[in-house]
Amino acid sequence: MNASHPLPVLPSSAATRRLPPWLKRPAAVAETLLHTRRLINGLKLSTVCVEARCPNLTECWSRHTATFMILGDRCTRRCRFCAVTTARPEPPQEDEPQRLAEAAEKLKLRHVVITSVARDDLEDEGAGHFARCVRAVLQRLPQSTIEVLVPDFHARPECIAVVLESGPHVFNHNLEVVASKQKLTRPQARYDRSLKTLALAKELSPQVVTKSGIMVGLGETHQELIETFRDLRAVGCDLLTIGQYLKPSNTDRHLPVQRYYRPEEFEELAEVARGLGFAGVASGPFVRSSYFAETLFREL
């Protein structure tokens, strides 16, 4: 991200119509992909792979990996980068932790990633259900490692503590975008509140690995990204993911892509982040919070 690599800006209409060549995905291994789909559908589970229209779905499912999304598929918040439906959620399903653990066991997962929609309607914002899911997986797969990708819980220490006490190895909460893009992108969230959530997790459980993710391509500047990396390091964040924002629909609900970063720019951002002290960085056009999450954790 320097003068030798000019930063072209694509009009939003062009960004919607045409992707650059480095944003093409390989074909999936159909047999393995269908096995994973049947298993998840049969246990009536939701995955962020499907609900958020992740571009890595075919690759991850072909490798028998998935990121489980608990607490339903309806979110109480309306972020303008996310494909998950915003609506009144259903009550939590009491048997979901056991079904999730069964799926993780059948998929023979070593690193299980559990995320959720935001549940501002619940008294504990879903923290207790997160904890039950973590415990259920660890009971069936005691040798596995667990990563939770949580909402901000409004930075409530009691909610964060409930999740941490269940024993996850990685506590992940995404900052998503730089400070200047927060109100536009995630109007019901707050930059400082997300940082506080990560800070509280490290304070309450110093041994837990904390992690966060940033999207690029929404009009942020290079300097803003560096300041965001520094803010995350200031609250002790250990792992960082950096990925390209891709508009999940052609509707006005979702923000347009302002620019596609080239692979070499992601490499440069990774080097900057490592220089600031992150223990592990995954940076690339298709990187998402849970993409190769096990690899990043094992490297740490």
Side-chain angles (χ1 to χ4, degrees), residues 75 77-84 86 176-177 181-189 215 218 245-258:
C75 189
R77 299 189 186 182
R78 190 178 183 87
C79 297
R80 297 193 63 198
F81 64 87
C82 183
V84 175
T86 303
E176 303 292 7
V177 290
K181 302 300 177 183
Q182 292 280 321
K183 187 174 182 179
L184 177 67
T185 307
R186 51 202 297 254
Q188 292 158 288
M215 297 181 296
L218 283 159
Y245 167 66
L246 296 173
K247 186 178 180 181
S249 78
N250 290 324
T251 68
D252 291 339
R253 173 192 168 185
H254 297 116
L255 295 169
V257 177
Q258 296 298 319

mmCIF file of all heavy atoms in Angstrom, residues 75 77-84 86 176-177 181-189 215 218 245-258:
data_model
loop_
_atom_site.group_PDB
_atom_site.id
_atom_site.type_symbol
_atom_site.label_atom_id
_atom_site.label_comp_id
_atom_site.label_asym_id
_atom_site.label_seq_id
_atom_site.Cartn_x
_atom_site.Cartn_y
_atom_site.Cartn_z
ATOM 1 N N CYS A 75 -31.448 -11.853 12.745
ATOM 2 C CA CYS A 75 -30.617 -10.972 13.570
ATOM 3 C C CYS A 75 -31.412 -9.755 14.019
ATOM 4 O O CYS A 75 -32.271 -9.243 13.291
ATOM 5 C CB CYS A 75 -29.395 -10.534 12.761
ATOM 6 S SG CYS A 75 -28.142 -9.652 13.718
ATOM 7 N N ARG A 77 -29.997 -6.920 14.526
ATOM 8 C CA ARG A 77 -29.319 -5.732 14.002
ATOM 9 C C ARG A 77 -29.335 -5.765 12.471
ATOM 10 O O ARG A 77 -29.535 -6.804 11.859
ATOM 11 C CB ARG A 77 -27.880 -5.656 14.527
ATOM 12 C CG ARG A 77 -27.842 -5.562 16.039
ATOM 13 C CD ARG A 77 -26.447 -5.277 16.553
ATOM 14 N NE ARG A 77 -26.413 -5.336 18.012
ATOM 15 C CZ ARG A 77 -25.330 -5.086 18.743
ATOM 16 N NH1 ARG A 77 -24.188 -4.758 18.146
ATOM 17 N NH2 ARG A 77 -25.387 -5.160 20.059
ATOM 18 N N ARG A 78 -29.096 -4.610 11.897
ATOM 19 C CA ARG A 78 -29.164 -4.483 10.440
ATOM 20 C C ARG A 78 -27.881 -3.828 9.930
ATOM 21 O O ARG A 78 -27.832 -2.618 9.677
ATOM 22 C CB ARG A 78 -30.389 -3.659 10.035
ATOM 23 C CG ARG A 78 -30.688 -3.674 8.541
ATOM 24 C CD ARG A 78 -31.943 -2.863 8.221
ATOM 25 N NE ARG A 78 -32.300 -2.916 6.806
ATOM 26 C CZ ARG A 78 -33.064 -3.858 6.263
ATOM 27 N NH1 ARG A 78 -33.548 -4.816 7.029
ATOM 28 N NH2 ARG A 78 -33.350 -3.824 4.989
ATOM 29 N N CYS A 79 -26.849 -4.621 9.798
ATOM 30 C CA CYS A 79 -25.575 -4.123 9.275
ATOM 31 C C CYS A 79 -25.626 -4.120 7.751
ATOM 32 O O CYS A 79 -26.142 -5.058 7.135
ATOM 33 C CB CYS A 79 -24.427 -4.997 9.766
ATOM 34 S SG CYS A 79 -24.226 -4.978 11.559
ATOM 35 N N ARG A 80 -25.052 -3.121 7.148
ATOM 36 C CA ARG A 80 -25.194 -2.921 5.702
ATOM 37 C C ARG A 80 -24.153 -3.663 4.870
ATOM 38 O O ARG A 80 -24.045 -3.438 3.671
ATOM 39 C CB ARG A 80 -25.178 -1.430 5.379
ATOM 40 C CG ARG A 80 -26.354 -0.685 6.000
ATOM 41 C CD ARG A 80 -26.491 0.686 5.421
ATOM 42 N NE ARG A 80 -26.790 0.625 3.987
ATOM 43 C CZ ARG A 80 -26.625 1.658 3.173
ATOM 44 N NH1 ARG A 80 -26.134 2.808 3.640
ATOM 45 N NH2 ARG A 80 -26.919 1.543 1.888
ATOM 46 N N PHE A 81 -23.410 -4.556 5.504
ATOM 47 C CA PHE A 81 -22.494 -5.414 4.760
ATOM 48 C C PHE A 81 -22.934 -6.870 4.815
ATOM 49 O O PHE A 81 -22.353 -7.726 4.155
ATOM 50 C CB PHE A 81 -21.070 -5.317 5.342
ATOM 51 C CG PHE A 81 -20.969 -5.815 6.764
ATOM 52 C CD1 PHE A 81 -20.754 -7.159 7.035
ATOM 53 C CD2 PHE A 81 -21.082 -4.938 7.830
ATOM 54 C CE1 PHE A 81 -20.669 -7.622 8.346
ATOM 55 C CE2 PHE A 81 -21.006 -5.391 9.132
ATOM 56 C CZ PHE A 81 -20.799 -6.738 9.389
ATOM 57 N N CYS A 82 -23.962 -7.179 5.615
ATOM 58 C CA CYS A 82 -24.266 -8.558 5.986
ATOM 59 C C CYS A 82 -25.535 -9.053 5.299
ATOM 60 O O CYS A 82 -26.527 -8.322 5.192
ATOM 61 C CB CYS A 82 -24.427 -8.645 7.508
ATOM 62 S SG CYS A 82 -24.710 -10.325 8.105
ATOM 63 N N ALA A 83 -25.506 -10.329 4.871
ATOM 64 C CA ALA A 83 -26.644 -10.933 4.177
ATOM 65 C C ALA A 83 -27.641 -11.585 5.118
ATOM 66 O O ALA A 83 -28.706 -12.011 4.672
ATOM 67 C CB ALA A 83 -26.133 -11.972 3.165
ATOM 68 N N VAL A 84 -27.319 -11.691 6.389
ATOM 69 C CA VAL A 84 -28.222 -12.358 7.330
ATOM 70 C C VAL A 84 -29.502 -11.525 7.494
ATOM 71 O O VAL A 84 -29.460 -10.297 7.577
ATOM 72 C CB VAL A 84 -27.529 -12.562 8.691
ATOM 73 C CG1 VAL A 84 -28.509 -13.152 9.711
ATOM 74 C CG2 VAL A 84 -26.332 -13.487 8.529
ATOM 75 N N THR A 86 -32.643 -9.592 8.906
ATOM 76 C CA THR A 86 -32.997 -8.836 10.107
ATOM 77 C C THR A 86 -34.493 -9.002 10.356
ATOM 78 O O THR A 86 -35.313 -8.640 9.515
ATOM 79 C CB THR A 86 -32.667 -7.347 9.941
ATOM 80 O OG1 THR A 86 -31.280 -7.201 9.627
ATOM 81 C CG2 THR A 86 -32.988 -6.574 11.212
ATOM 82 N N GLU A 176 -14.751 -5.091 12.201
ATOM 83 C CA GLU A 176 -15.350 -5.012 10.861
ATOM 84 C C GLU A 176 -14.774 -3.909 9.990
ATOM 85 O O GLU A 176 -14.297 -4.185 8.888
ATOM 86 C CB GLU A 176 -16.873 -4.864 10.916
ATOM 87 C CG GLU A 176 -17.606 -5.955 11.676
ATOM 88 C CD GLU A 176 -17.572 -7.324 11.002
ATOM 89 O OE1 GLU A 176 -16.871 -7.497 9.990
ATOM 90 O OE2 GLU A 176 -18.244 -8.243 11.511
ATOM 91 N N VAL A 177 -14.853 -2.651 10.427
ATOM 92 C CA VAL A 177 -14.422 -1.539 9.581
ATOM 93 C C VAL A 177 -13.732 -0.479 10.436
ATOM 94 O O VAL A 177 -13.815 -0.500 11.665
ATOM 95 C CB VAL A 177 -15.614 -0.886 8.832
ATOM 96 C CG1 VAL A 177 -16.146 -1.823 7.754
ATOM 97 C CG2 VAL A 177 -16.729 -0.499 9.788
ATOM 98 N N LYS A 181 -16.112 4.522 9.218
ATOM 99 C CA LYS A 181 -17.123 3.784 8.458
ATOM 100 C C LYS A 181 -18.109 3.033 9.351
ATOM 101 O O LYS A 181 -19.007 2.344 8.852
ATOM 102 C CB LYS A 181 -16.456 2.790 7.502
ATOM 103 C CG LYS A 181 -15.487 3.425 6.517
ATOM 104 C CD LYS A 181 -16.169 4.445 5.633
ATOM 105 C CE LYS A 181 -15.181 5.130 4.699
ATOM 106 N NZ LYS A 181 -15.825 6.185 3.882
ATOM 107 N N GLN A 182 -17.966 3.159 10.665
ATOM 108 C CA GLN A 182 -18.803 2.385 11.577
ATOM 109 C C GLN A 182 -20.281 2.748 11.469
ATOM 110 O O GLN A 182 -21.136 1.870 11.327
ATOM 111 C CB GLN A 182 -18.315 2.577 13.015
ATOM 112 C CG GLN A 182 -16.952 1.973 13.304
ATOM 113 C CD GLN A 182 -17.015 0.491 13.545
ATOM 114 O OE1 GLN A 182 -17.932 -0.014 14.172
ATOM 115 N NE2 GLN A 182 -16.017 -0.230 13.078
ATOM 116 N N LYS A 183 -20.607 4.018 11.552
ATOM 117 C CA LYS A 183 -22.013 4.425 11.576
ATOM 118 C C LYS A 183 -22.725 4.037 10.294
ATOM 119 O O LYS A 183 -23.887 3.605 10.304
ATOM 120 C CB LYS A 183 -22.108 5.937 11.807
ATOM 121 C CG LYS A 183 -23.531 6.419 12.011
ATOM 122 C CD LYS A 183 -23.554 7.896 12.384
ATOM 123 C CE LYS A 183 -24.996 8.366 12.630
ATOM 124 N NZ LYS A 183 -25.040 9.799 13.013
ATOM 125 N N LEU A 184 -22.050 4.165 9.173
ATOM 126 C CA LEU A 184 -22.629 3.816 7.881
ATOM 127 C C LEU A 184 -22.790 2.308 7.730
ATOM 128 O O LEU A 184 -23.801 1.828 7.217
ATOM 129 C CB LEU A 184 -21.733 4.357 6.759
ATOM 130 C CG LEU A 184 -22.144 4.014 5.322
ATOM 131 C CD1 LEU A 184 -23.453 4.708 4.965
ATOM 132 C CD2 LEU A 184 -21.040 4.402 4.344
ATOM 133 N N THR A 185 -21.804 1.555 8.220
ATOM 134 C CA THR A 185 -21.740 0.120 7.956
ATOM 135 C C THR A 185 -22.490 -0.705 8.989
ATOM 136 O O THR A 185 -23.201 -1.650 8.652
ATOM 137 C CB THR A 185 -20.265 -0.327 7.914
ATOM 138 O OG1 THR A 185 -19.554 0.498 6.987
ATOM 139 C CG2 THR A 185 -20.148 -1.782 7.483
ATOM 140 N N ARG A 186 -22.326 -0.380 10.254
ATOM 141 C CA ARG A 186 -22.957 -1.147 11.339
ATOM 142 C C ARG A 186 -23.560 -0.160 12.345
ATOM 143 O O ARG A 186 -23.016 0.060 13.443
ATOM 144 C CB ARG A 186 -21.953 -2.107 11.982
ATOM 145 C CG ARG A 186 -20.640 -1.465 12.394
ATOM 146 C CD ARG A 186 -19.473 -2.433 12.530
ATOM 147 N NE ARG A 186 -19.599 -3.437 13.544
ATOM 148 C CZ ARG A 186 -18.947 -3.447 14.717
ATOM 149 N NH1 ARG A 186 -18.141 -2.445 15.031
ATOM 150 N NH2 ARG A 186 -19.097 -4.428 15.553
ATOM 151 N N PRO A 187 -24.689 0.456 12.001
ATOM 152 C CA PRO A 187 -25.234 1.578 12.775
ATOM 153 C C PRO A 187 -25.626 1.246 14.205
ATOM 154 O O PRO A 187 -25.705 2.155 15.039
ATOM 155 C CB PRO A 187 -26.471 2.005 11.961
ATOM 156 C CG PRO A 187 -26.799 0.828 11.107
ATOM 157 C CD PRO A 187 -25.498 0.170 10.807
ATOM 158 N N GLN A 188 -25.870 -0.026 14.518
ATOM 159 C CA GLN A 188 -26.249 -0.388 15.885
ATOM 160 C C GLN A 188 -25.057 -0.819 16.733
ATOM 161 O O GLN A 188 -25.225 -1.240 17.876
ATOM 162 C CB GLN A 188 -27.298 -1.497 15.847
ATOM 163 C CG GLN A 188 -28.632 -1.030 15.279
ATOM 164 C CD GLN A 188 -29.464 -2.175 14.761
ATOM 165 O OE1 GLN A 188 -29.166 -2.773 13.736
ATOM 166 N NE2 GLN A 188 -30.512 -2.511 15.490
ATOM 167 N N ALA A 189 -23.870 -0.735 16.167
ATOM 168 C CA ALA A 189 -22.648 -1.075 16.893
ATOM 169 C C ALA A 189 -21.837 0.194 17.136
ATOM 170 O O ALA A 189 -22.200 1.272 16.659
ATOM 171 C CB ALA A 189 -21.830 -2.096 16.115
ATOM 172 N N MET A 215 -12.722 -5.625 7.331
ATOM 173 C CA MET A 215 -12.998 -5.656 5.900
ATOM 174 C C MET A 215 -12.394 -4.414 5.248
ATOM 175 O O MET A 215 -12.377 -3.338 5.850
ATOM 176 C CB MET A 215 -14.509 -5.639 5.645
ATOM 177 C CG MET A 215 -15.264 -6.822 6.164
ATOM 178 S SD MET A 215 -17.034 -6.678 5.782
ATOM 179 C CE MET A 215 -17.477 -5.221 6.749
ATOM 180 N N LEU A 218 -14.271 -0.402 1.461
ATOM 181 C CA LEU A 218 -15.453 0.424 1.734
ATOM 182 C C LEU A 218 -15.121 1.916 1.777
ATOM 183 O O LEU A 218 -15.909 2.712 2.287
ATOM 184 C CB LEU A 218 -16.091 -0.023 3.047
ATOM 185 C CG LEU A 218 -16.907 -1.322 2.937
ATOM 186 C CD1 LEU A 218 -17.081 -1.970 4.300
ATOM 187 C CD2 LEU A 218 -18.268 -1.039 2.300
ATOM 188 N N TYR A 245 -14.197 -6.777 1.272
ATOM 189 C CA TYR A 245 -15.653 -6.701 1.330
ATOM 190 C C TYR A 245 -16.212 -7.009 -0.045
ATOM 191 O O TYR A 245 -15.766 -6.473 -1.062
ATOM 192 C CB TYR A 245 -16.108 -5.313 1.767
ATOM 193 C CG TYR A 245 -17.589 -5.077 1.540
ATOM 194 C CD1 TYR A 245 -18.542 -5.804 2.256
ATOM 195 C CD2 TYR A 245 -18.037 -4.145 0.598
ATOM 196 C CE1 TYR A 245 -19.907 -5.604 2.044
ATOM 197 C CE2 TYR A 245 -19.386 -3.934 0.387
ATOM 198 C CZ TYR A 245 -20.324 -4.673 1.109
ATOM 199 O OH TYR A 245 -21.667 -4.482 0.885
ATOM 200 N N LEU A 246 -17.211 -7.904 -0.080
ATOM 201 C CA LEU A 246 -17.932 -8.223 -1.312
ATOM 202 C C LEU A 246 -19.416 -8.005 -1.063
ATOM 203 O O LEU A 246 -19.985 -8.575 -0.128
ATOM 204 C CB LEU A 246 -17.676 -9.672 -1.718
ATOM 205 C CG LEU A 246 -16.231 -10.030 -2.080
ATOM 206 C CD1 LEU A 246 -16.093 -11.535 -2.289
ATOM 207 C CD2 LEU A 246 -15.776 -9.269 -3.322
ATOM 208 N N LYS A 247 -20.043 -7.203 -1.867
ATOM 209 C CA LYS A 247 -21.458 -6.903 -1.685
ATOM 210 C C LYS A 247 -22.281 -8.167 -1.865
ATOM 211 O O LYS A 247 -22.204 -8.824 -2.915
ATOM 212 C CB LYS A 247 -21.890 -5.835 -2.684
ATOM 213 C CG LYS A 247 -23.313 -5.351 -2.478
ATOM 214 C CD LYS A 247 -23.674 -4.249 -3.465
ATOM 215 C CE LYS A 247 -25.111 -3.778 -3.223
ATOM 216 N NZ LYS A 247 -25.514 -2.720 -4.187
ATOM 217 N N PRO A 248 -23.090 -8.552 -0.856
ATOM 218 C CA PRO A 248 -23.787 -9.832 -0.932
ATOM 219 C C PRO A 248 -25.066 -9.822 -1.762
ATOM 220 O O PRO A 248 -25.659 -10.880 -1.976
ATOM 221 C CB PRO A 248 -24.107 -10.138 0.541
ATOM 222 C CG PRO A 248 -24.193 -8.800 1.189
ATOM 223 C CD PRO A 248 -23.206 -7.924 0.473
ATOM 224 N N SER A 249 -25.503 -8.648 -2.228
ATOM 225 C CA SER A 249 -26.708 -8.587 -3.059
ATOM 226 C C SER A 249 -26.631 -7.351 -3.943
ATOM 227 O O SER A 249 -25.758 -6.493 -3.777
ATOM 228 C CB SER A 249 -27.970 -8.535 -2.185
ATOM 229 O OG SER A 249 -28.162 -7.227 -1.665
ATOM 230 N N ASN A 250 -27.578 -7.234 -4.869
ATOM 231 C CA ASN A 250 -27.632 -6.054 -5.730
ATOM 232 C C ASN A 250 -28.618 -5.017 -5.226
ATOM 233 O O ASN A 250 -28.967 -4.086 -5.947
ATOM 234 C CB ASN A 250 -28.012 -6.480 -7.159
ATOM 235 C CG ASN A 250 -26.892 -7.245 -7.835
ATOM 236 O OD1 ASN A 250 -25.717 -6.942 -7.628
ATOM 237 N ND2 ASN A 250 -27.254 -8.241 -8.635
ATOM 238 N N THR A 251 -29.057 -5.169 -3.982
ATOM 239 C CA THR A 251 -30.037 -4.240 -3.428
ATOM 240 C C THR A 251 -29.345 -3.052 -2.764
ATOM 241 O O THR A 251 -28.150 -3.102 -2.438
ATOM 242 C CB THR A 251 -30.917 -4.944 -2.387
ATOM 243 O OG1 THR A 251 -30.115 -5.283 -1.246
ATOM 244 C CG2 THR A 251 -31.531 -6.211 -2.964
ATOM 245 N N ASP A 252 -30.120 -2.005 -2.525
ATOM 246 C CA ASP A 252 -29.590 -0.820 -1.854
ATOM 247 C C ASP A 252 -29.330 -1.066 -0.382
ATOM 248 O O ASP A 252 -28.694 -0.246 0.277
ATOM 249 C CB ASP A 252 -30.564 0.355 -2.016
ATOM 250 C CG ASP A 252 -30.638 0.853 -3.448
ATOM 251 O OD1 ASP A 252 -29.688 0.584 -4.208
ATOM 252 O OD2 ASP A 252 -31.649 1.481 -3.808
ATOM 253 N N ARG A 253 -29.868 -2.170 0.149
ATOM 254 C CA ARG A 253 -29.632 -2.476 1.562
ATOM 255 C C ARG A 253 -28.144 -2.630 1.839
ATOM 256 O O ARG A 253 -27.658 -2.284 2.917
ATOM 257 C CB ARG A 253 -30.365 -3.760 1.952
ATOM 258 C CG ARG A 253 -30.026 -4.236 3.357
ATOM 259 C CD ARG A 253 -30.514 -5.631 3.650
ATOM 260 N NE ARG A 253 -29.913 -6.115 4.887
ATOM 261 C CZ ARG A 253 -30.075 -7.340 5.364
ATOM 262 N NH1 ARG A 253 -30.803 -8.213 4.714
ATOM 263 N NH2 ARG A 253 -29.491 -7.700 6.494
ATOM 264 N N HIS A 254 -27.404 -3.179 0.879
ATOM 265 C CA HIS A 254 -25.980 -3.458 1.091
ATOM 266 C C HIS A 254 -25.118 -2.402 0.409
ATOM 267 O O HIS A 254 -25.415 -1.953 -0.703
ATOM 268 C CB HIS A 254 -25.634 -4.851 0.564
ATOM 269 C CG HIS A 254 -26.355 -5.943 1.303
ATOM 270 N ND1 HIS A 254 -27.273 -6.771 0.708
ATOM 271 C CD2 HIS A 254 -26.299 -6.301 2.613
ATOM 272 C CE1 HIS A 254 -27.749 -7.617 1.610
ATOM 273 N NE2 HIS A 254 -27.178 -7.343 2.770
ATOM 274 N N LEU A 255 -24.070 -2.018 1.089
ATOM 275 C CA LEU A 255 -23.176 -0.977 0.589
ATOM 276 C C LEU A 255 -22.422 -1.455 -0.655
ATOM 277 O O LEU A 255 -22.056 -2.626 -0.763
ATOM 278 C CB LEU A 255 -22.172 -0.592 1.672
ATOM 279 C CG LEU A 255 -22.765 0.066 2.919
ATOM 280 C CD1 LEU A 255 -21.702 0.154 4.010
ATOM 281 C CD2 LEU A 255 -23.309 1.451 2.589
ATOM 282 N N PRO A 256 -22.143 -0.559 -1.581
ATOM 283 C CA PRO A 256 -21.363 -0.931 -2.761
ATOM 284 C C PRO A 256 -19.881 -1.070 -2.420
ATOM 285 O O PRO A 256 -19.389 -0.452 -1.466
ATOM 286 C CB PRO A 256 -21.593 0.238 -3.721
ATOM 287 C CG PRO A 256 -21.848 1.407 -2.815
ATOM 288 C CD PRO A 256 -22.601 0.850 -1.630
ATOM 289 N N VAL A 257 -19.194 -1.870 -3.189
ATOM 290 C CA VAL A 257 -17.740 -1.973 -3.061
ATOM 291 C C VAL A 257 -17.128 -0.716 -3.668
ATOM 292 O O VAL A 257 -17.438 -0.343 -4.794
ATOM 293 C CB VAL A 257 -17.210 -3.225 -3.787
ATOM 294 C CG1 VAL A 257 -15.682 -3.280 -3.699
ATOM 295 C CG2 VAL A 257 -17.829 -4.488 -3.216
ATOM 296 N N GLN A 258 -16.263 -0.063 -2.912
ATOM 297 C CA GLN A 258 -15.584 1.130 -3.428
ATOM 298 C C GLN A 258 -14.299 0.774 -4.180
ATOM 299 O O GLN A 258 -13.932 1.468 -5.126
ATOM 300 C CB GLN A 258 -15.250 2.074 -2.268
ATOM 301 C CG GLN A 258 -16.475 2.619 -1.551
ATOM 302 C CD GLN A 258 -17.358 3.442 -2.465
ATOM 303 O OE1 GLN A 258 -16.874 4.223 -3.287
ATOM 304 N NE2 GLN A 258 -18.664 3.250 -2.342
#
